[in-house]
Amino acid sequence: MLLLDYQNVLIQSLLTERFSGAPPTSIDQVVSDFDGVTFHISTPESKNKIRISMGIKCFKDLLQYGADQQLQKEYGSYITDIEPGYDFTLLVDLDNLPPSAEERESLVKSISLLKRNAMAAPFERAFDEHAEMAKEASKYSSETAPQGIKEGGEVMAIHYREQEAIYIKASHDRVTVIFSTIFTDETDRIFGKVFLQEFVDARRRAIQNAPQVLFRNEAPLELQGIPGFRASAKGEIGYITFVLFPRHITQQRRTDSISHIQTFRDYFHYHIKASKAYIHSRMRRRTADFLQVLNRARPESEEKERKTASGRTFRVQG
Amino acid sequence: MALQTPAVVMDNGTGFSKLGFAGNDAPSFVFPTAIATKSGVGSAAGGGVRPAVASKPSYLTGGAGSGGSLAGKRGTEDLDFFIGDEALAAASGPGYGIHYPVRHGQVENWDHMERFWSNSIFKYLRVEPEDHYFLLTEPPLNPPENRENTAEIMFESFNCAGLYIAVQAVLALAASWTSHKAADQSLTGVVIDSGDGVTHVIPVAEGYVIGSSIKSIPIAGRDITYFVQSLLRDRGEPDSSLKTAERVKEEYCYVCPDMVKEFARFDREPDRFLKHTVTSPNGRSVTVDVGYERFLAPEIFFNPEIYSSDFLTPLPTVVDGVIQSSPIDVRRGLYKNIVLSGGSTLYKDFGRRLQRDIKQLVDARIRASELRSGGARSGGLEVQVISHKRQRHGPWFGGSLLGSTPEFRSYCHTKADYDEYGPSIVRRFALLGGPGST
């Protein structure tokens, strides 16, 4: 498993089973997803009405950047009143499903991507903004461009975790996505550094059209002067900058790009852990080898101290 | 933080792993504890061949004997694997070999287990281990070294926020609190845990397993399936595959009060004979008659001689023996709280029959000692077998129940504790749900 899935496997398997015409049962499950997202799947009224609620930490941020329209577009008639304690709620009536199997499947797919779709809003907006600015900018040469276009749009901040955030900024020739990450563990930080160096090198070596990746411990200039932004004092926060060029955000690639970049943090942490697991397995192997050597080195017959019946020992006289 | 992340409850059994979040009433995922890896050059050709039995305990070799070929690889081979149902599917194709990292309830291959866990956490549960507390289970009499290994993996590989390792039997006791029969939330009782491979009878006093009195019975779910299969074969049914036998076992079997009377009853009421339709993948369907095996199959717990010639002690006698070998001051509590757990205890009236049989044994003994004492009267002894709705995933549900209590986190060892003391910290855990906790 190199890449992580974007959809929530549990929601997917649960709905697939429900939609396939299995006898209705009541469900009441709290499920979590990455980035502190919680789902609550329940059947509050009757067994045929499945309610799916999502609690997401940064929902306020997302709403600000047009998550409403995005979700409206994606789910439309399935949206219902928000369950208390959560941020967004869908209601699916099993008696009222789309008739064809493909449509049902795509509905399952889209519900299991609920978190992704909610998080996608600011990205979509940034990409749209970029397209507009690019159009605008094509009227000017680089010297005569007015200030607004050169500078780019406002920086959108999504505080998706307690101490970490994604910042997105569109400008006329690129979209910049900055992750601030924090490592609680010293070992992880070192692993992370190696990984990020690989990202930087990969572009240089093999994959020329990959987005540019920068990693540093000081806050990048784009983030200076953003309300609510605090530069870290001790440098335990790292900043990873992705520069998406127009070729990454064409209409047909857009969906993939958004999914990929959203799962970046999880992907990153997953691979740090996977490489630790790999190193551990090598360590175990090495230990086993050493133990084998030690066992081989044991002398055939060990000299035992001999005793008489009364407990006295023989000693070789010098 | 207002909304606390739910604890992750993982119960990795020999056959199946149960994964989910505390507070839910059923595990989110139940799949085989299997991992399919690319069969490397080092392992035997063809893959799927079991590694040679290690001559040393697995905590010394680390189980590296089989997965060792990985050490020579420099690419992404270590990520090329599947777990659970996907593993079974992958192993049926070429290139992958299947491994079962847990044997007899204990982790045998830590390399595979580590990757199994990483996939369960990241692919299925989708959680960041840094944000969640984990509740894992272990079989009774698990060596402390295994606990330490588990802690090393959970804390050093995954950096999980906190860890609690509970004994399955204790969790199964906790799961029985949902039954209306369980009067008080005590952690004293006998757990009859019958899974696929083996049945354990485990006495627990105040949350601590009485290790010296544990008995295991080599009759469990698989044997019942074999027995049903042999009955079907003897009758010459058109389909007597293991799968059909399993379906028959799960759908039609029940426990009868008396074997002889039940035979007579079947002869009187012909509608007790049922038909089971098997549809094979090619679309053909055959009908299998289901007769006496409906009550004969679970009967092998109570009259093992009809199935096996090696093991002849009925389950009620074993349970009685276990309680009699426990310390005298807890015996009354043990008789009062006999809890069922595991898939093979789900037969209708299993609990009732067990309770009746144990009661008979106990009453006979009391009467005998009354006679011997010459005139003394005994106050009697209460025997109660508790069956409840969560029996199938008993240990998991108990974990979910305890993991959702507000004080659960204070019982865990945290990452900071681990860094301070090292792996030996997990040798001891405060007893969750024990006296004084709720």
Side-chain angles (χ1 to χ4, degrees):
Chain A
M1 192 181 73
L2 270 175
L3 286 169
L4 293 169
D5 297 330
Y6 311 125
Q7 77 276 20
N8 190 302
V9 191
L10 183 70
I11 298 184
Q12 193 182 20
S13 60
L14 209 98
L15 290 181
T16 312
E17 194 212 330
R18 293 287 99 214
F19 286 10
S20 65
T25 49
S26 50
I27 315 167
D28 188 12
Q29 289 242 4
V30 176
V31 187
S32 61
D33 204 324
F34 292 123
D35 305 329
V37 172
T38 333
F39 290 103
H40 181 209
I41 310 165
S42 55
T43 47
E45 293 163 36
S46 71
K47 288 178 179 176
N48 280 337
K49 291 199 171 111
I50 302 180
R51 183 170 69 177
I52 300 139
S53 306
M54 176 175 66
I56 183 166
K57 207 164 274 162
C58 53
F59 201 66
K60 246 189 236 143
D61 292 337
L62 294 174
L63 278 183
Q64 202 183 329
Y65 303 125
D68 243 358
Q69 295 95 303
Q70 176 79 15
L71 292 170
Q72 192 72 40
K73 196 173 80 188
E74 189 69 35
Y75 300 107
S77 60
Y78 295 109
I79 301 174
T80 56
D81 300 336
I82 293 164
E83 187 186 343
Y86 291 87
D87 295 312
F88 185 75
T89 304
L90 296 176
L91 189 76
V92 182
D93 190 347
L94 287 183
D95 298 329
N96 222 340
L97 284 176
S100 77
E102 291 95 66
E103 278 178 276
R104 283 184 199 194
E105 208 169 291
S106 69
L107 178 65
V108 170
K109 189 92 189 154
S110 96
I111 293 178
S112 61
L113 286 172
L114 184 56
K115 180 202 159 208
R116 183 238 167 238
N117 288 334
M119 295 275 280
F123 289 93
E124 291 277 358
R125 175 183 261 208
F127 292 173
D128 287 340
E129 225 171 84
H130 157 79
E132 248 168 58
M133 272 191 245
K135 214 191 280 165
E136 194 72 11
S138 61
K139 294 182 199 152
Y140 306 98
S141 69
S142 56
E143 284 83 30
T144 59
Q147 198 60 23
I149 287 172
K150 248 191 206 165
E151 291 271 294
E154 56 154 341
V155 175
M156 292 186 270
I158 314 162
H159 299 275
Y160 70 123
R161 291 173 68 80
E162 205 107 297
Q163 287 170 300
E164 294 165 65
I166 309 177
Y167 302 94
I168 309 165
K169 184 184 178 180
S171 61
H172 68 95
D173 57 349
R174 62 179 180 259
V175 175
T176 317
V177 181
I178 301 168
F179 283 85
S180 71
T181 74
I182 187 161
F183 289 108
T184 44
D185 193 79
E186 184 64 34
T187 328
D188 277 17
R189 194 176 309 161
I190 293 158
F191 271 102
K193 231 177 218 163
V194 176
F195 258 97
L196 288 165
Q197 196 54 46
E198 277 302 310
F199 273 112
V200 178
D201 288 350
R203 183 177 142 85
R204 207 173 293 152
R205 268 204 313 264
I207 317 152
Q208 255 85 33
N209 51 6
Q212 196 184 346
V213 182
L214 303 165
F215 173 67
R216 51 168 64 175
N217 273 330
E218 308 90 58
L221 283 177
E222 280 95 336
L223 300 185
Q224 299 297 346
I226 292 182
F229 173 74
R230 296 188 313 274
S232 71
K234 283 179 248 151
E236 75 273 25
I237 300 181
Y239 296 91
I240 304 149
T241 312
F242 286 87
V243 184
L244 300 177
F245 291 115
R247 65 168 171 269
H248 301 122
I249 46 180
T250 51
Q251 277 303 334
Q252 59 268 38
R253 288 223 184 124
R254 209 178 239 217
T255 352
D256 274 351
S257 295
I258 295 176
S259 308
H260 281 309
I261 210 151
Q262 268 187 18
T263 49
F264 168 72
R265 185 189 183 277
D266 313 313
Y267 170 85
F268 187 43
H269 280 255
Y270 165 64
H271 277 274
I272 289 176
K273 269 141 214 172
S275 42
K276 278 202 263 185
Y278 172 62
I279 289 173
H280 286 171
S281 79
R282 291 185 57 175
M283 278 157 56
R284 287 194 196 102
R285 171 73 174 177
R286 187 51 73 86
T287 318
D289 284 351
F290 283 152
L291 276 174
Q292 210 171 11
V293 172
L294 275 180
N295 284 339
R296 245 187 249 132
R298 186 171 293 161
E300 291 278 298
S301 58
E302 271 174 85
E303 198 65 36
K304 262 199 207 146
E305 204 178 29
R306 292 195 193 152
K307 281 183 180 173
T308 63
S310 59
R312 281 195 284 184
T313 53
F314 294 109
R315 200 169 291 151
V316 183
Q317 296 285 309
Chain B
M1 199 160 85
L3 200 79
Q4 255 192 355
T5 52
V8 174
V9 182
M10 297 207 277
D11 178 18
N12 298 105
T14 317
F16 284 87
S17 280
K18 278 76 75 179
L19 316 174
F21 296 100
N24 290 348
D25 62 349
S28 302
F29 297 99
V30 179
F31 48 68
T33 314
I35 176 168
T37 54
K38 206 89 179 162
S39 27
V41 196
S43 70
V49 182
R50 263 207 277 160
V53 178
S55 55
K56 277 188 290 295
S58 62
Y59 52 84
L60 282 182
T61 62
S66 62
S69 58
L70 198 64
K73 301 280 170 54
R74 288 294 182 273
T76 51
E77 286 84 357
D78 63 314
L79 294 174
D80 191 3
F81 66 95
F82 297 99
I83 66 164
D85 294 318
E86 283 184 345
L88 297 187
S92 60
Y96 287 93
I98 197 143
H99 307 274
Y100 294 92
V102 179
R103 291 209 169 268
H104 309 295
Q106 296 183 350
V107 179
E108 291 258 305
N109 190 323
W110 292 97
D111 283 351
H112 287 152
M113 204 60 211
E114 189 166 6
R115 289 194 281 161
F116 184 89
W117 275 327
S118 99
N119 218 336
S120 336
I121 294 174
F122 280 96
K123 179 167 181 182
Y124 289 94
L125 295 167
R126 292 175 73 81
V127 294
E128 275 116 355
E130 286 91 344
D131 300 347
H132 289 259
Y133 278 62
F134 282 74
L135 194 154
L136 302 185
T137 67
E138 63 171 9
L141 303 184
N142 196 26
E145 285 83 358
N146 278 357
R147 273 191 174 195
E148 289 189 6
N149 271 337
T150 308
E152 266 178 35
I153 291 177
M154 290 324 278
F155 283 121
E156 290 186 17
S157 294
F158 299 126
N159 296 337
C160 64
L163 177 69
Y164 189 88
I165 302 176
V167 182
Q168 279 148 13
V170 180
L171 292 180
L173 274 183
S176 76
W177 293 345
T178 51
S179 165
H180 60 274
K181 267 199 262 175
D184 53 341
Q185 302 200 338
S186 80
L187 281 179
T188 300
V190 182
V191 177
I192 298 173
D193 182 7
S194 185
D196 195 42
V198 73
T199 301
H200 286 288
V201 181
I202 307 155
V204 181
E206 309 284 344
Y208 290 95
V209 174
I210 304 170
S212 56
S213 305
I214 294 176
K215 280 267 180 331
S216 52
I217 303 169
I219 293 175
R222 203 178 302 149
D223 301 280
I224 302 176
T225 312
Y226 286 149
F227 185 59
V228 172
Q229 189 186 27
S230 74
L231 288 175
L232 293 178
R233 285 234 171 102
D234 290 350
R235 270 211 312 273
E237 294 294 344
D239 185 13
S240 59
S241 63
L242 209 56
K243 213 170 165 190
T244 309
E246 205 169 84
R247 299 288 298 161
V248 168
K249 173 186 90 169
E250 283 165 14
E251 281 180 35
Y252 304 106
C253 286
Y254 64 91
V255 178
C256 66
D258 188 296
M259 217 181 4
V260 180
K261 279 190 193 141
E262 200 70 11
F263 267 114
R265 194 159 156 218
F266 261 65
D267 295 337
R268 264 202 323 278
E269 303 167 20
D271 60 328
R272 298 206 146 248
F273 291 95
L274 299 173
K275 294 217 183 292
H276 176 69
T277 315
V278 188
T279 313
S280 44
N282 57 23
R284 227 160 36 86
S285 72
V286 288
T287 316
V288 176
D289 290 317
V290 184
Y292 300 129
E293 57 268 21
R294 288 188 66 197
F295 64 88
L296 277 182
E299 193 66 30
I300 63 174
F301 279 120
F302 301 97
N303 289 301
E305 63 274 10
I306 61 174
Y307 168 71
S308 120
S309 51
D310 315 327
F311 184 82
L312 298 171
T313 326
L315 180 64
T317 316
V318 175
V319 176
D320 190 54
V322 162
I323 299 177
Q324 287 299 317
S325 69
S326 301
I328 195 162
D329 53 335
V330 293
R331 283 185 207 164
R332 196 172 279 272
L334 294 181
Y335 275 118
K336 210 172 70 184
N337 196 20
I338 298 169
V339 172
L340 304 176
S341 150
S344 304
T345 59
L346 293 169
Y347 303 104
K348 191 168 165 285
D349 289 336
F350 185 88
R352 194 183 297 179
R353 169 80 183 270
L354 192 63
Q355 179 169 333
R356 191 199 68 184
D357 286 8
I358 298 174
K359 184 82 183 150
Q360 278 170 0
L361 288 172
V362 170
D363 287 349
R365 190 167 44 237
I366 290 178
R367 231 171 298 125
S369 59
E370 275 175 355
L371 274 181
R372 254 179 288 137
S373 70
R377 302 294 301 160
S378 154
L381 190 61
E382 191 190 354
V383 176
Q384 184 169 251
V385 176
I386 293 174
S387 55
H388 55 93
K389 287 205 177 65
R390 316 285 182 209
Q391 239 160 269
R392 185 188 292 270
H393 302 305
W396 186 91
F397 182 74
S400 163
L401 208 66
L402 295 178
S404 59
T405 52
E407 65 273 8
F408 166 67
R409 289 190 173 210
S410 62
Y411 283 87
C412 287
H413 289 311
T414 62
K415 169 93 171 122
D417 295 342
Y418 176 85
D419 287 342
E420 184 70 27
Y421 297 102
S424 64
I425 190 175
V426 293
R427 286 184 178 230
R428 297 201 142 271
F429 277 103
L431 184 66
L432 186 59
S437 76
T438 38

